[in-house]
C-alpha cells in the first residue's frame, strides 16, 4: 500500500491537512499538496478499489526470512565441497591414480589405451583413483563454433558411456573433480554432471559415494597413521608453456603448501619433485586420451599424451613414490606382496 492510499483516508481539511500528512509519512508538504492536486485534477480521488493488490513492509520482511530459509535448504542439497578428509584403513602401501581428460565421444581418442588403463585401475589391489575432469567431450552448439563436428557421439550418448564407465570403476573411486567440458552442463542447463556421477557411483557401491570436489580443492588422505595433503584441480591460473609445473607451484604459493599438487587440462602429463616452501613437494599433471585435436593442431601442432600419475603412499612413514601408472603398478604390487 503506498502512502497516498492511506493519506486519502486521513485527509480532513483544517483538521488533518497537508502538513500533518507530510509529517506522518516523512514527506515535504509541497510533495503532499502536489499529489493531492494531481489526484483532484484527474478525478482519481473519487475512485475506490476493493481488491487492488498491494503489499506491506511486513510482507517484505517475511519474504526476506523465506529467502534465508530457502538458502539453508538449498545448501543441505548441495554436495560440492573444496576441502575433505578421507581415511584408508590399510597397513600396506596404497596408491592414488589421478585419471582425467577421457574426452569420451570425441574423435581422435585412443579408446584402446583408455580401456587398458581402465583394466589396471579396476583390478589392481590397493589402487584408488580420483577423477580429474573432462570425462566427456560434451561440445554444444552454443559453445565453440564448429567444435561439435569433432565428436563421434552426441552428448546424450556420451553421458551413457561415462555413466557405465563410472559404474565399472565405482569400487575404488575417492573423488571427482569437474572439468571445463563437464562444466558446460552447468552453464547451459544448471546441471552438475559431477554430482550425477557421484550419485551413480554411490548407487553402485551402496554407500554415500565419492567426494564431489567441484572445480577442485584440498583432499586430506590418511593411510594408516600418516596423513597426506593433496591439492587437486582440473586447471588453475598461471599456466606456462615454458614451466609446466608453474600453476601447481603457484597454487601452493597462493593457497599454502601441500604434499602433492595435481592438475589436468593441458593433455600433457608430467611428474616433478622439487624442494619448495621448506620441504619436498610433488607436482603433477594427468594426460589425455584425446590424441588428435583440431584446436591443438591449429594452435601449435600439439598432440595429446595419455598418462596417469600415481602416488604410492606409505602407512607407517611420510613417504610418497610418484610414478606413471605403467611403472607404479609393479612397484605397488611388490610393496603389498
Amino acid at each position: 500500500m503506498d502512502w497516498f492510499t492511506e493519506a486519502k483516508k486521513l485527509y480532513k481539511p483544517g483538521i488533518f491537512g497537508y502538513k500533518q500528512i507530510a509529517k506522518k509519512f516523512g514527506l515535504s508538504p509541497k510533495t503532499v499538496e502536489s499529489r493531492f492536486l494531481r489526484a483532484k485534477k484527474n478525478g482519481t480521488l473519487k475512485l475506490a478499489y476493493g481488491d487492488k493488490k498491494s503489499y506491506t513492509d511486513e510482507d517484505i520482511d517475511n519474504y526476506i526470512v523465506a529467502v534465508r530459509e530457502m538458502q539453508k535448504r538449498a545448501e543441505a542439497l548441495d554436495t560440492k565441497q573444496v576441502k575433505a578428509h578421507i581415511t584408508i584403513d590399510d597397513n600396506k602401501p596404497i596408491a592414488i591414480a589421478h585419471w582425467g581428460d577421457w574426452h569420451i565421444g570425441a574423435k581422435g581418442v585412443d579408446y584402446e589405451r583408455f580401456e587398458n588403463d581402465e583394466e589396471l585401475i579396476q583390478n589392481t589391489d590397493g589402487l584408488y583413483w580420483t577423477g580429474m575432469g573432462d570425462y566427456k567431450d560434451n561440445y554444444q552448439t552454443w559453445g565453440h563454433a564448429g567444435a561439435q563436428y569433432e565428436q563421434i557421439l552426441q552428448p546424450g550418448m556420451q553421458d551413457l558411456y561415462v555413466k557405465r564407465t563410472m559404474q565399472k570403476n565405482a569400487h575404488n573411486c575417492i573423488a571427482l573433480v569437474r572439468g571445463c567440458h563437464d562444466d558446460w552442463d552447468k552453464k547451459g542447463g544448471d546441471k552438475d554432471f559431477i554430482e550425477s556421477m557421484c550419485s551413480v557411483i554411490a548407487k553402485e557401491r551402496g554407500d554415500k559415494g565419492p567426494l564431489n570436489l567441484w572445480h577442485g580443492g584440498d583432499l586430506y588422505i590418511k593411510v594408516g597413521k600418516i596423513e597426506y595433503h593433496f591439492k587437486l584441480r582440473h586447471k588453475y591460473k598461471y599456466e606456462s608453456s615454458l614451466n609446466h609445473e608453474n600453476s601447481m607451484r603457484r597454487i601452493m604459493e597462493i593457497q599454502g603448501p601441500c604434499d602433492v599438487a595435481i592438475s589436468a587440462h593441458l593433455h600433457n602429463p608430467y611428474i616433478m619433485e622439487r624442494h619448495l616452501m621448506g620441504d619436498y613437494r610433488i607436482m603433477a599433471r594427468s594426460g589425455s586420451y584425446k590424441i588428435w585435436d583440431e584446436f591443438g593442431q591449429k594452435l601449435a601442432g600439439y598432440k595429446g599424451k595419455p598418462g596417469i600419475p600415481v602416488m604410492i603412499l606409505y602407512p607407517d612413514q611420510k613417504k610418497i613414490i610418484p610414478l606413471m601408472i605403467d611403472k607404479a603398478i609393479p612397484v605397488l604390487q611388490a610393496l603389498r606382496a
Side-chain angles (χ1 to χ4, degrees):
M1 181 185 296
D2 65 7
W3 69 269
F4 186 63
T5 301
E6 186 177 353
K8 287 188 294 183
K9 299 175 182 178
L10 298 173
Y11 178 63
K12 294 180 180 180
I15 300 174
F16 200 90
Y18 297 153
K19 290 184 179 180
Q20 289 80 8
I21 290 174
K23 184 176 181 180
K24 177 176 176 60
F25 294 99
L27 303 168
S28 70
K30 186 175 182 180
T31 298
V32 175
E33 182 180 8
S34 175
R35 184 69 180 87
F36 269 86
L37 290 176
R38 189 165 68 251
K40 289 178 181 178
K41 183 178 179 181
N42 296 334
T44 57
L45 287 178
K46 298 178 182 179
L47 297 176
Y49 297 96
D51 57 357
K52 185 178 184 298
K53 294 184 69 175
S54 62
Y55 59 85
T56 66
D57 288 345
E58 184 180 4
D59 292 326
I60 299 174
D61 291 339
N62 290 337
Y63 177 75
I64 292 171
V65 171
V67 169
R68 290 201 300 265
E69 183 64 23
M70 182 179 69
Q71 174 70 6
K72 291 179 182 178
R73 300 292 184 181
E75 288 175 352
L77 299 174
D78 190 352
T79 63
K80 299 187 298 294
Q81 57 191 104
V82 295
K83 181 179 180 180
H85 296 76
I86 187 168
T87 298
I88 299 176
D89 185 16
D90 205 320
N91 59 6
K92 297 178 181 180
I94 61 96
I96 312 293
H98 303 280
W99 192 22
D101 282 290
W102 303 349
H103 286 277
I104 296 300
K107 292 181 181 179
V109 169
D110 188 343
Y111 290 99
E112 184 176 351
R113 172 65 182 268
F114 177 76
E115 291 176 2
N116 290 339
D117 285 347
E118 182 183 10
E119 186 175 346
L120 289 175
I121 287 173
Q122 283 180 13
N123 299 320
T124 301
D125 178 54
L127 179 67
Y128 301 83
W129 66 279
T130 65
M132 299 301 297
D134 282 1
Y135 312 97
K136 56 180 179 175
D137 211 42
N138 201 35
Y139 277 109
Q140 310 288 330
T141 54
W142 49 262
H144 301 294
Q148 70 271 21
Y149 303 130
E150 296 300 309
Q151 299 182 129
I152 59 174
L153 300 179
Q154 296 306 310
M157 299 307 293
Q158 294 177 28
D159 284 5
L160 292 177
Y161 195 133
V162 174
K163 176 182 177 181
R164 186 65 186 126
T165 301
M166 293 290 182
Q167 289 174 326
K168 291 189 292 182
N169 298 278
H171 66 286
N172 55 349
C173 180
I174 291 176
L176 297 178
V177 171
R178 188 194 302 175
C180 46
H181 287 242
D182 312 310
D183 194 46
W184 292 333
D185 280 9
K186 188 68 174 176
K187 287 183 178 180
D190 192 34
K191 297 177 182 178
D192 186 350
F193 182 67
I194 303 309
E195 181 178 354
S196 298
M197 293 302 101
C198 286
S199 297
V200 165
I201 292 174
K203 184 177 180 180
E204 185 71 18
R205 296 198 317 213
D207 61 14
K208 293 182 178 180
L211 298 163
N212 179 355
L213 275 188
W214 205 357
H215 296 285
D218 291 272
L219 181 58
Y220 297 84
I221 302 176
K222 187 175 183 181
V223 184
K225 300 178 180 180
I226 309 299
E227 185 174 74
Y228 298 89
H229 181 191
F230 287 70
K231 287 184 182 293
L232 305 180
R233 296 281 309 189
H234 176 71
K235 63 177 181 178
Y236 191 69
K237 301 186 296 181
Y238 311 111
E239 295 286 4
S240 170
S241 59
L242 299 177
N243 301 306
H244 290 175
E245 86 288 358
N246 194 64
S247 64
M248 292 298 92
R249 175 176 58 82
R250 292 289 287 142
I251 197 173
M252 285 193 269
E253 292 173 348
I254 293 170
Q255 297 184 0
C258 61
D259 299 312
V260 183
I262 299 183
S263 65
H265 185 59
L266 293 186
H267 299 191
N268 187 7
Y270 78 89
I271 294 175
M272 174 181 287
E273 185 175 13
R274 59 169 289 190
H275 192 262
L276 181 68
M277 305 178 78
D279 208 340
Y280 282 97
R281 315 288 178 185
I282 296 171
M283 291 162 280
R285 186 190 306 278
S286 60
S288 175
Y289 300 95
K290 192 174 183 180
I291 310 300
W292 296 105
D293 178 58
E294 185 75 26
F295 177 75
Q297 285 295 306
K298 181 170 64 175
L299 188 65
Y302 292 141
K303 289 174 58 179
K305 174 69 175 176
I308 303 175
V310 174
M311 305 298 139
I312 298 176
L313 310 178
Y314 281 67
D316 53 355
Q317 58 177 313
K318 193 69 172 286
K319 183 177 179 180
I320 305 173
I321 301 177
L323 296 167
M324 288 298 175
I325 193 166
D326 55 334
K327 297 178 181 178
I329 298 300
V331 175
L332 177 64
Q333 290 172 335
L335 290 172
R336 292 180 63 83

